[in-house]
Amino acid sequence: NNNMDNPSCAGIEGVLESYLQSLRTVQLYGPTNFAPVINQVAGAAAQVTDGSQYHVLLIITDGVISDMLQTKEAIVTASALPMSIIIVGVGPAEFEGE
């Protein structure tokens, strides 16, 4: 949501609002590195030890993943945490094999 102090979105309305805001302010370009954002959300998820929160990371990308090895490692590390990762490829890029 472009707020580093409180990067959460409240409900689907908050996700849609953040997405629409990002479309107006973000310039898409490569490389497409997912590991840093996965690790950031994993860090937040790891802080919740009482089961009161669950994190959903939705990544919408128009490019092929540039840091595939690091992304796989980040996903494996995050797999034990209360979070889900959803990656949606949009546009003409080749996503087969990803």
Coordinates of all heavy atoms in Angstrom, one line a residue:
N1 N 0.8 -1.2 0.0 CA 0.0 0.0 0.0 C 0.9 1.3 0.0 O 0.3 2.3 0.2 CB -1.0 0.0 1.2 CG -0.3 0.1 2.5 OD1 0.9 0.3 2.6 ND2 -1.1 0.1 3.6
N2 N 2.1 1.1 -0.2 CA 3.1 2.2 -0.2 C 3.3 2.9 1.1 O 3.7 4.1 1.2 CB 2.7 3.3 -1.3 CG 2.9 2.7 -2.7 OD1 3.9 1.9 -2.9 ND2 2.0 3.1 -3.6
N3 N 2.9 2.3 2.2 CA 3.1 2.8 3.6 C 4.0 1.9 4.3 O 3.6 0.8 4.8 CB 1.7 2.9 4.3 CG 1.9 3.5 5.7 OD1 2.9 3.6 6.2 ND2 0.7 4.0 6.2
M4 N 5.3 2.3 4.4 CA 6.3 1.4 5.0 C 6.0 1.2 6.5 O 6.4 0.3 7.1 CB 7.7 2.0 4.8 CG 8.1 2.0 3.3 SD 8.0 0.3 2.6 CE 9.4 -0.5 3.4
D5 N 5.4 2.2 7.2 CA 5.1 2.1 8.6 C 4.0 1.1 8.9 O 3.9 0.5 10.0 CB 4.8 3.5 9.2 CG 5.9 4.4 9.2 OD1 7.1 3.9 9.3 OD2 5.7 5.6 9.0
N6 N 3.0 1.0 8.0 CA 1.9 0.1 8.2 C 1.5 -0.4 6.8 O 0.6 0.1 6.1 CB 0.7 0.8 8.8 CG -0.5 -0.1 9.0 OD1 -0.4 -1.3 9.0 ND2 -1.7 0.5 9.3
P7 N 2.2 -1.4 6.3 CA 2.0 -1.9 4.9 C 0.8 -2.8 4.7 O 0.7 -3.4 3.6 CB 3.3 -2.6 4.6 CG 3.7 -3.2 6.0 CD 3.3 -2.1 6.9
S8 N -0.1 -3.0 5.7 CA -1.2 -3.9 5.6 C -2.4 -3.3 4.9 O -2.6 -2.1 4.8 CB -1.7 -4.3 7.0 OG -0.6 -5.0 7.6
C9 N -3.2 -4.1 4.3 CA -4.5 -3.7 3.7 C -5.6 -4.4 4.4 O -5.5 -5.6 4.8 CB -4.6 -4.1 2.2 SG -3.3 -3.4 1.1
A10 N -6.7 -3.7 4.7 CA -7.8 -4.2 5.4 C -8.9 -4.8 4.4 O -9.5 -4.0 3.7 CB -8.4 -3.1 6.3
G11 N -8.9 -6.1 4.4 CA -10.0 -6.7 3.5 C -9.7 -6.5 2.1 O -8.7 -5.9 1.6
I12 N -10.6 -7.1 1.3 CA -10.5 -7.0 -0.2 C -10.6 -5.6 -0.7 O -10.0 -5.2 -1.6 CB -11.5 -7.9 -0.9 CG1 -11.2 -8.1 -2.4 CG2 -12.9 -7.5 -0.7 CD1 -9.9 -8.8 -2.7
E13 N -11.4 -4.8 0.0 CA -11.5 -3.4 -0.3 C -10.2 -2.6 -0.2 O -9.8 -1.9 -1.1 CB -12.6 -2.6 0.5 CG -14.0 -3.1 0.3 CD -14.3 -4.4 1.2 OE1 -13.5 -4.7 2.1 OE2 -15.3 -5.0 0.9
G14 N -9.5 -2.9 0.8 CA -8.1 -2.3 1.0 C -7.2 -2.8 0.0 O -6.3 -2.0 -0.5
V15 N -7.2 -4.1 -0.4 CA -6.4 -4.6 -1.5 C -6.6 -3.9 -2.8 O -5.7 -3.5 -3.5 CB -6.5 -6.1 -1.6 CG1 -5.8 -6.7 -2.8 CG2 -6.1 -6.8 -0.4
L16 N -7.9 -3.8 -3.1 CA -8.3 -3.2 -4.4 C -7.9 -1.7 -4.4 O -7.4 -1.2 -5.4 CB -9.8 -3.3 -4.7 CG -10.3 -4.7 -5.0 CD1 -11.8 -4.8 -5.1 CD2 -9.6 -5.2 -6.3
E17 N -8.1 -1.0 -3.3 CA -7.7 0.4 -3.2 C -6.2 0.6 -3.4 O -5.7 1.4 -4.1 CB -8.2 1.0 -1.9 CG -7.8 2.4 -1.7 CD -8.2 2.9 -0.3 OE1 -9.3 2.5 0.2 OE2 -7.5 3.8 0.2
S18 N -5.4 -0.3 -2.8 CA -4.0 -0.2 -2.9 C -3.5 -0.5 -4.3 O -2.6 0.1 -4.8 CB -3.4 -1.2 -1.9 OG -1.9 -1.2 -2.0
Y19 N -4.2 -1.5 -4.9 CA -3.8 -1.9 -6.3 C -4.1 -0.7 -7.2 O -3.3 -0.4 -8.1 CB -4.6 -3.1 -6.7 CG -4.4 -3.5 -8.1 CD1 -3.2 -4.1 -8.6 CD2 -5.4 -3.4 -9.1 CE1 -3.0 -4.4 -9.9 CE2 -5.2 -3.8 -10.4 CZ -4.0 -4.3 -10.8 OH -3.8 -4.6 -12.1
L20 N -5.3 -0.1 -7.1 CA -5.6 1.0 -8.0 C -4.7 2.2 -7.8 O -4.3 2.8 -8.8 CB -7.1 1.4 -7.8 CG -8.1 0.3 -8.3 CD1 -9.5 0.8 -7.9 CD2 -8.0 0.1 -9.8
Q21 N -4.3 2.4 -6.6 CA -3.4 3.5 -6.3 C -2.0 3.2 -6.9 O -1.4 4.1 -7.5 CB -3.3 3.7 -4.8 CG -2.3 4.8 -4.4 CD -2.1 4.9 -2.9 OE1 -2.7 4.2 -2.1 NE2 -1.3 5.9 -2.5
S22 N -1.6 2.0 -6.8 CA -0.3 1.6 -7.3 C -0.2 1.7 -8.8 O 0.8 2.1 -9.4 CB 0.1 0.2 -6.9 OG 0.2 0.1 -5.5
L23 N -1.4 1.4 -9.5 CA -1.4 1.5 -10.9 C -1.1 2.9 -11.4 O -0.5 3.1 -12.5 CB -2.7 1.0 -11.5 CG -3.0 -0.5 -11.5 CD1 -4.4 -0.7 -12.0 CD2 -2.0 -1.1 -12.4
R24 N -1.5 3.9 -10.6 CA -1.3 5.3 -10.9 C 0.1 5.8 -10.6 O 0.5 6.8 -11.1 CB -2.4 6.2 -10.2 CG -3.8 6.0 -10.7 CD -4.7 7.0 -10.1 NE -5.0 6.8 -8.7 CZ -6.0 6.0 -8.2 NH1 -6.8 5.4 -9.1 NH2 -6.1 5.9 -6.9
T25 N 0.8 5.1 -9.7 CA 2.0 5.7 -9.2 C 3.3 4.9 -9.5 O 4.4 5.4 -9.3 CB 1.9 5.9 -7.7 OG1 1.7 4.7 -7.0 CG2 0.8 6.9 -7.3
V26 N 3.1 3.6 -9.9 CA 4.3 2.7 -10.0 C 4.6 2.5 -11.5 O 3.7 2.3 -12.4 CB 4.0 1.3 -9.4 CG1 5.1 0.3 -9.7 CG2 3.8 1.5 -7.9
Q27 N 5.9 2.6 -11.8 CA 6.3 2.3 -13.2 C 6.9 0.9 -13.2 O 7.8 0.6 -12.4 CB 7.4 3.3 -13.6 CG 8.0 3.0 -14.9 CD 8.1 4.1 -15.9 OE1 7.9 5.2 -15.5 NE2 8.5 3.9 -17.1
L28 N 6.4 0.1 -14.1 CA 6.8 -1.3 -14.1 C 8.0 -1.4 -15.0 O 8.1 -0.9 -16.1 CB 5.7 -2.2 -14.6 CG 4.4 -2.2 -13.9 CD1 3.3 -3.0 -14.6 CD2 4.6 -2.6 -12.4
Y29 N 9.0 -2.1 -14.4 CA 10.3 -2.4 -15.2 C 11.0 -3.5 -14.5 O 10.7 -4.0 -13.4 CB 11.1 -1.2 -15.3 CG 11.6 -0.6 -14.0 CD1 12.9 -1.0 -13.5 CD2 10.9 0.2 -13.2 CE1 13.3 -0.5 -12.2 CE2 11.3 0.7 -12.0 CZ 12.5 0.3 -11.5 OH 12.9 0.8 -10.3
G30 N 12.0 -4.1 -15.1 CA 12.8 -5.2 -14.6 C 14.0 -4.7 -13.9 O 14.4 -3.5 -14.0
P31 N 14.7 -5.6 -13.2 CA 14.4 -7.0 -13.1 C 13.2 -7.2 -12.1 O 12.9 -6.3 -11.3 CB 15.7 -7.6 -12.5 CG 16.3 -6.5 -11.8 CD 16.0 -5.2 -12.6
T32 N 12.6 -8.4 -12.2 CA 11.5 -8.7 -11.3 C 12.0 -9.6 -10.2 O 12.1 -10.8 -10.4 CB 10.4 -9.4 -12.2 OG1 10.1 -8.5 -13.3 CG2 9.2 -9.7 -11.4
N33 N 12.3 -9.0 -9.1 CA 12.8 -9.8 -7.9 C 11.7 -9.9 -6.9 O 11.2 -8.9 -6.3 CB 14.0 -9.0 -7.3 CG 15.2 -9.0 -8.3 OD1 15.4 -10.0 -9.0 ND2 15.9 -7.9 -8.3
F34 N 11.3 -11.1 -6.6 CA 10.2 -11.4 -5.6 C 10.7 -11.7 -4.2 O 10.0 -11.4 -3.2 CB 9.4 -12.6 -6.1 CG 8.5 -12.3 -7.3 CD1 7.8 -13.3 -7.9 CD2 8.4 -11.0 -7.8 CE1 7.0 -13.1 -9.0 CE2 7.6 -10.8 -8.9 CZ 6.9 -11.8 -9.5
A35 N 11.9 -12.2 -4.1 CA 12.4 -12.6 -2.8 C 12.4 -11.5 -1.7 O 12.0 -11.8 -0.6 CB 13.8 -13.2 -2.9
P36 N 12.8 -10.3 -2.0 CA 12.7 -9.2 -1.0 C 11.3 -9.0 -0.4 O 11.2 -8.9 0.8 CB 13.3 -8.0 -1.7 CG 14.1 -8.5 -2.8 CD 13.4 -9.8 -3.3
V37 N 10.3 -9.0 -1.2 CA 9.0 -8.7 -0.7 C 8.4 -9.9 0.0 O 7.8 -9.8 1.0 CB 8.0 -8.2 -1.8 CG1 7.7 -9.3 -2.8 CG2 6.7 -7.6 -1.2
I38 N 8.8 -11.1 -0.5 CA 8.3 -12.3 0.3 C 9.0 -12.4 1.6 O 8.3 -12.6 2.6 CB 8.7 -13.6 -0.5 CG1 7.8 -13.6 -1.8 CG2 8.5 -14.9 0.3 CD1 8.3 -14.7 -2.8
N39 N 10.3 -12.0 1.7 CA 11.0 -12.0 3.0 C 10.4 -11.0 3.9 O 10.4 -11.2 5.1 CB 12.5 -11.8 2.8 CG 13.1 -13.1 2.2 OD1 12.7 -14.2 2.4 ND2 14.2 -12.9 1.4
Q40 N 10.0 -9.8 3.4 CA 9.5 -8.7 4.2 C 8.1 -9.2 4.8 O 7.9 -9.0 6.0 CB 9.2 -7.5 3.4 CG 8.7 -6.3 4.2 CD 8.5 -5.1 3.5 OE1 8.9 -5.0 2.3 NE2 7.9 -4.1 4.1
V41 N 7.3 -9.8 4.0 CA 6.0 -10.3 4.6 C 6.2 -11.4 5.5 O 5.5 -11.5 6.5 CB 5.0 -10.6 3.4 CG1 3.7 -11.2 3.9 CG2 4.7 -9.4 2.6
A42 N 7.1 -12.3 5.2 CA 7.4 -13.4 6.1 C 7.9 -12.9 7.4 O 7.6 -13.5 8.5 CB 8.5 -14.3 5.5
G43 N 8.7 -11.8 7.4 CA 9.1 -11.3 8.7 C 8.0 -10.8 9.5 O 8.0 -11.0 10.8
A44 N 7.0 -10.1 8.9 CA 5.8 -9.7 9.6 C 5.0 -10.9 10.1 O 4.5 -10.9 11.3 CB 5.0 -8.8 8.7
A45 N 4.9 -11.9 9.3 CA 4.1 -13.1 9.7 C 4.8 -13.8 10.8 O 4.1 -14.4 11.7 CB 3.9 -14.0 8.5
A46 N 6.1 -13.8 10.9 CA 6.8 -14.5 11.9 C 6.6 -13.8 13.3 O 6.8 -14.5 14.3 CB 8.3 -14.6 11.6
Q47 N 6.3 -12.6 13.3 CA 6.1 -11.9 14.6 C 4.8 -12.2 15.2 O 4.6 -11.9 16.4 CB 6.2 -10.4 14.3 CG 7.6 -9.9 13.9 CD 7.6 -8.4 13.7 OE1 6.7 -7.7 14.0 NE2 8.8 -8.0 13.1
V48 N 3.9 -12.8 14.5 CA 2.5 -13.2 15.1 C 2.6 -14.6 15.5 O 2.6 -15.5 14.7 CB 1.4 -13.0 14.0 CG1 0.1 -13.3 14.6 CG2 1.4 -11.6 13.5
T49 N 2.7 -14.8 16.8 CA 2.9 -16.1 17.3 C 1.6 -16.7 18.0 O 1.6 -17.8 18.4 CB 4.0 -16.2 18.3 OG1 3.8 -15.2 19.4 CG2 5.3 -15.8 17.6
D50 N 0.6 -15.8 18.1 CA -0.6 -16.3 18.9 C -1.8 -16.7 18.0 O -2.9 -17.0 18.4 CB -1.1 -15.1 19.8 CG -1.6 -13.9 19.0 OD1 -1.5 -13.9 17.8 OD2 -2.0 -12.9 19.7
G51 N -1.5 -16.8 16.6 CA -2.6 -17.2 15.7 C -3.6 -16.2 15.4 O -4.6 -16.5 14.8
S52 N -3.4 -14.9 15.8 CA -4.5 -13.9 15.6 C -4.5 -13.3 14.2 O -5.4 -12.6 13.9 CB -4.3 -12.8 16.7 OG -3.1 -12.1 16.5
Q53 N -3.4 -13.5 13.4 CA -3.3 -12.9 12.1 C -2.9 -13.9 11.1 O -2.1 -14.9 11.4 CB -2.4 -11.7 12.1 CG -2.8 -10.6 13.0 CD -1.8 -9.4 12.9 OE1 -0.9 -9.4 12.0 NE2 -1.9 -8.5 13.8
Y54 N -3.3 -13.7 9.9 CA -2.9 -14.5 8.7 C -2.6 -13.6 7.6 O -3.4 -12.7 7.3 CB -4.0 -15.5 8.3 CG -3.5 -16.5 7.3 CD1 -2.8 -17.7 7.7 CD2 -3.6 -16.3 6.0 CE1 -2.3 -18.6 6.8 CE2 -3.2 -17.2 5.0 CZ -2.5 -18.4 5.5 OH -2.1 -19.3 4.6
H55 N -1.4 -13.7 7.0 CA -1.0 -12.8 5.9 C -1.2 -13.4 4.5 O -0.9 -14.6 4.4 CB 0.5 -12.4 6.1 CG 0.7 -11.6 7.3 ND1 0.7 -12.2 8.6 CD2 1.0 -10.3 7.5 CE1 1.0 -11.3 9.5 NE2 1.2 -10.1 8.9
V56 N -1.7 -12.6 3.6 CA -1.8 -13.1 2.2 C -1.0 -12.1 1.4 O -1.3 -10.9 1.4 CB -3.3 -13.1 1.8 CG1 -3.4 -13.5 0.3 CG2 -4.1 -14.1 2.6
L57 N 0.0 -12.6 0.7 CA 0.8 -11.8 -0.2 C 0.3 -12.0 -1.6 O 0.4 -13.1 -2.1 CB 2.3 -12.1 0.0 CG 3.2 -11.4 -1.0 CD1 3.1 -9.9 -1.0 CD2 4.6 -11.9 -0.8
L58 N -0.2 -11.0 -2.3 CA -0.7 -11.1 -3.6 C 0.3 -10.3 -4.5 O 0.5 -9.1 -4.3 CB -2.1 -10.5 -3.8 CG -2.6 -10.4 -5.2 CD1 -2.7 -11.7 -5.9 CD2 -3.9 -9.7 -5.3
I59 N 1.0 -11.0 -5.4 CA 1.9 -10.3 -6.3 C 1.4 -10.4 -7.7 O 1.1 -11.5 -8.2 CB 3.3 -11.0 -6.3 CG1 3.9 -11.0 -4.9 CG2 4.3 -10.4 -7.3 CD1 5.2 -11.8 -4.7
I60 N 1.1 -9.3 -8.3 CA 0.7 -9.2 -9.7 C 1.9 -8.7 -10.5 O 2.4 -7.6 -10.3 CB -0.5 -8.3 -9.9 CG1 -1.7 -8.8 -9.0 CG2 -1.0 -8.2 -11.3 CD1 -2.8 -7.8 -8.9
T61 N 2.3 -9.5 -11.5 CA 3.5 -9.2 -12.2 C 3.3 -9.3 -13.7 O 2.6 -10.1 -14.2 CB 4.7 -10.2 -11.8 OG1 5.9 -9.8 -12.5 CG2 4.3 -11.6 -12.1
D62 N 4.1 -8.4 -14.4 CA 4.0 -8.5 -15.9 C 5.4 -9.0 -16.4 O 5.6 -8.9 -17.6 CB 3.7 -7.1 -16.5 CG 4.9 -6.1 -16.3 OD1 5.7 -6.3 -15.4 OD2 4.9 -5.1 -17.0
G63 N 6.2 -9.5 -15.5 CA 7.5 -10.0 -16.0 C 7.9 -11.3 -15.4 O 7.3 -11.8 -14.4
V64 N 8.8 -12.0 -16.0 CA 9.3 -13.3 -15.5 C 10.1 -13.0 -14.3 O 10.8 -12.0 -14.2 CB 10.1 -14.0 -16.6 CG1 10.7 -15.2 -16.2 CG2 9.2 -14.2 -17.8
I65 N 10.1 -13.9 -13.3 CA 10.9 -13.8 -12.1 C 12.4 -13.8 -12.4 O 12.9 -14.8 -12.9 CB 10.5 -14.9 -11.1 CG1 9.0 -14.8 -10.8 CG2 11.3 -14.8 -9.8 CD1 8.4 -16.0 -10.0
S66 N 13.1 -12.8 -11.9 CA 14.5 -12.7 -12.2 C 15.3 -13.4 -11.1 O 16.4 -13.8 -11.4 CB 14.9 -11.2 -12.2 OG 14.2 -10.5 -13.2
D67 N 14.8 -13.5 -9.9 CA 15.6 -14.1 -8.8 C 14.9 -15.4 -8.4 O 14.6 -15.6 -7.3 CB 15.7 -13.1 -7.7 CG 14.4 -12.8 -7.0 OD1 13.3 -12.9 -7.7 OD2 14.4 -12.3 -5.9
M68 N 14.8 -16.3 -9.4 CA 14.0 -17.5 -9.1 C 14.6 -18.4 -8.0 O 13.8 -18.8 -7.1 CB 14.0 -18.4 -10.4 CG 13.1 -19.6 -10.3 SD 11.4 -19.4 -9.7 CE 10.7 -18.8 -11.3
L69 N 15.9 -18.6 -7.9 CA 16.5 -19.4 -6.8 C 16.2 -18.7 -5.5 O 15.7 -19.4 -4.5 CB 18.0 -19.5 -7.0 CG 18.7 -20.3 -6.0 CD1 18.2 -21.8 -5.9 CD2 20.2 -20.3 -6.2
Q70 N 16.4 -17.4 -5.3 CA 16.1 -16.7 -4.1 C 14.6 -16.7 -3.7 O 14.2 -16.9 -2.6 CB 16.7 -15.3 -4.1 CG 18.2 -15.2 -4.2 CD 18.6 -15.2 -5.7 OE1 17.9 -15.5 -6.6 NE2 19.9 -14.9 -5.9
T71 N 13.8 -16.6 -4.8 CA 12.3 -16.7 -4.6 C 11.9 -18.0 -4.1 O 11.1 -18.1 -3.1 CB 11.6 -16.3 -5.9 OG1 11.9 -14.9 -6.2 CG2 10.1 -16.5 -5.7
K72 N 12.4 -19.1 -4.6 CA 12.1 -20.4 -4.2 C 12.5 -20.6 -2.7 O 11.8 -21.2 -1.9 CB 12.8 -21.5 -5.0 CG 12.1 -21.6 -6.4 CD 12.8 -22.7 -7.2 CE 12.2 -22.8 -8.6 NZ 12.9 -23.9 -9.4
E73 N 13.7 -20.1 -2.4 CA 14.2 -20.2 -1.0 C 13.3 -19.5 0.0 O 13.0 -19.9 1.1 CB 15.7 -19.7 -0.9 CG 16.7 -20.7 -1.6 CD 18.1 -20.1 -1.7 OE1 18.3 -18.9 -1.3 OE2 19.0 -20.8 -2.2
A74 N 12.9 -18.3 -0.5 CA 12.0 -17.4 0.4 C 10.7 -18.1 0.6 O 10.1 -18.1 1.7 CB 11.9 -16.1 -0.2
I75 N 10.2 -18.7 -0.4 CA 8.9 -19.4 -0.3 C 9.0 -20.6 0.6 O 8.1 -20.8 1.5 CB 8.4 -19.9 -1.7 CG1 7.9 -18.6 -2.5 CG2 7.2 -20.8 -1.6 CD1 7.6 -18.9 -4.0
V76 N 10.1 -21.4 0.5 CA 10.3 -22.5 1.4 C 10.4 -22.1 2.8 O 9.8 -22.7 3.7 CB 11.5 -23.4 0.9 CG1 11.9 -24.4 2.0 CG2 11.2 -24.0 -0.4
T77 N 11.1 -21.0 3.0 CA 11.3 -20.5 4.4 C 10.0 -20.0 5.0 O 9.7 -20.3 6.1 CB 12.3 -19.3 4.4 OG1 13.6 -19.8 3.9 CG2 12.5 -18.7 5.8
A78 N 9.2 -19.4 4.1 CA 7.9 -18.8 4.6 C 6.8 -19.9 4.7 O 5.8 -19.6 5.3 CB 7.4 -17.8 3.6
S79 N 7.0 -21.1 4.2 CA 6.0 -22.1 4.2 C 5.5 -22.5 5.6 O 4.4 -23.1 5.7 CB 6.4 -23.3 3.4 OG 7.5 -24.0 4.0
A80 N 6.3 -22.3 6.6 CA 5.9 -22.7 7.9 C 5.2 -21.6 8.7 O 4.8 -21.7 9.8 CB 7.1 -23.2 8.8
L81 N 5.0 -20.4 8.0 CA 4.5 -19.3 8.7 C 3.0 -19.1 8.3 O 2.5 -19.7 7.3 CB 5.2 -18.0 8.2 CG 6.7 -18.0 8.6 CD1 7.4 -16.8 7.9 CD2 6.8 -17.9 10.1
P82 N 2.3 -18.3 9.1 CA 0.8 -18.1 8.8 C 0.7 -17.1 7.7 O 0.3 -15.9 7.9 CB 0.3 -17.5 10.1 CG 1.5 -16.8 10.8 CD 2.7 -17.7 10.3
M83 N 1.0 -17.6 6.5 CA 0.8 -16.7 5.3 C 0.7 -17.6 4.0 O 1.0 -18.7 4.0 CB 2.1 -15.8 5.1 CG 3.4 -16.5 4.8 SD 4.8 -15.4 4.6 CE 4.5 -14.7 3.0
S84 N 0.1 -16.9 3.0 CA -0.1 -17.5 1.7 C 0.5 -16.6 0.7 O 0.5 -15.3 0.9 CB -1.6 -17.8 1.3 OG -2.1 -18.8 2.1
I85 N 1.1 -17.1 -0.4 CA 1.7 -16.3 -1.4 C 0.9 -16.6 -2.7 O 0.9 -17.8 -3.1 CB 3.2 -16.6 -1.6 CG1 3.9 -16.3 -0.3 CG2 3.8 -15.8 -2.7 CD1 5.3 -16.9 -0.2
I86 N 0.4 -15.6 -3.4 CA -0.3 -15.8 -4.6 C 0.4 -14.9 -5.7 O 0.6 -13.7 -5.5 CB -1.8 -15.4 -4.5 CG1 -2.5 -16.1 -3.4 CG2 -2.5 -15.5 -5.9 CD1 -3.8 -15.6 -3.0
I87 N 0.9 -15.6 -6.7 CA 1.6 -14.8 -7.8 C 0.7 -15.0 -9.1 O 0.4 -16.1 -9.5 CB 3.0 -15.4 -8.0 CG1 3.8 -15.3 -6.7 CG2 3.7 -14.6 -9.2 CD1 5.2 -15.9 -6.8
V88 N 0.3 -13.8 -9.6 CA -0.5 -13.8 -10.8 C 0.3 -13.1 -11.9 O 0.8 -12.0 -11.8 CB -1.8 -13.0 -10.6 CG1 -2.6 -12.9 -11.9 CG2 -2.6 -13.6 -9.5
G89 N 0.5 -13.8 -13.0 CA 1.2 -13.2 -14.2 C 0.2 -12.6 -15.1 O -0.8 -13.3 -15.5
V90 N 0.5 -11.4 -15.5 CA -0.4 -10.7 -16.5 C 0.4 -10.2 -17.7 O 1.6 -10.0 -17.5 CB -1.1 -9.5 -15.8 CG1 -2.1 -10.0 -14.7 CG2 -0.2 -8.5 -15.3
G91 N -0.2 -10.1 -18.8 CA 0.5 -9.5 -20.0 C 1.1 -10.6 -20.8 O 0.9 -11.8 -20.6
P92 N 1.9 -10.2 -21.8 CA 2.4 -11.1 -22.8 C 3.7 -11.9 -22.4 O 4.2 -12.7 -23.2 CB 2.7 -10.2 -24.0 CG 3.1 -8.9 -23.3 CD 2.3 -8.8 -22.1
A93 N 4.2 -11.7 -21.2 CA 5.5 -12.4 -20.9 C 5.3 -13.9 -20.8 O 4.2 -14.4 -20.6 CB 6.0 -11.9 -19.5
E94 N 6.4 -14.6 -21.0 CA 6.3 -16.1 -20.9 C 6.4 -16.5 -19.5 O 7.4 -16.2 -18.8 CB 7.5 -16.7 -21.7 CG 7.3 -16.7 -23.2 CD 6.2 -17.7 -23.6 OE1 6.0 -18.8 -22.9 OE2 5.4 -17.4 -24.5
F95 N 5.4 -17.1 -18.9 CA 5.4 -17.6 -17.6 C 5.5 -19.1 -17.4 O 5.5 -19.6 -16.3 CB 4.2 -17.1 -16.8 CG 4.2 -15.6 -16.7 CD1 3.4 -14.8 -17.5 CD2 4.9 -15.0 -15.7 CE1 3.4 -13.4 -17.4 CE2 4.9 -13.6 -15.5 CZ 4.2 -12.8 -16.4
E96 N 5.5 -19.8 -18.5 CA 5.7 -21.2 -18.5 C 7.0 -21.6 -17.9 O 8.0 -21.0 -18.2 CB 5.5 -21.8 -19.9 CG 4.1 -21.7 -20.4 CD 4.0 -22.3 -21.8 OE1 4.7 -23.2 -22.1 OE2 3.1 -21.9 -22.5
G97 N 7.0 -22.6 -17.1 CA 8.2 -23.0 -16.4 C 8.6 -22.3 -15.2 O 9.5 -22.5 -14.5
E98 N 7.8 -21.3 -14.9 CA 8.0 -20.5 -13.6 C 7.4 -21.2 -12.5 O 6.5 -21.9 -12.5 CB 7.3 -19.1 -13.8 CG 8.0 -18.3 -14.9 CD 9.4 -17.9 -14.6 OE1 9.7 -17.4 -13.5 OE2 10.3 -18.1 -15.4

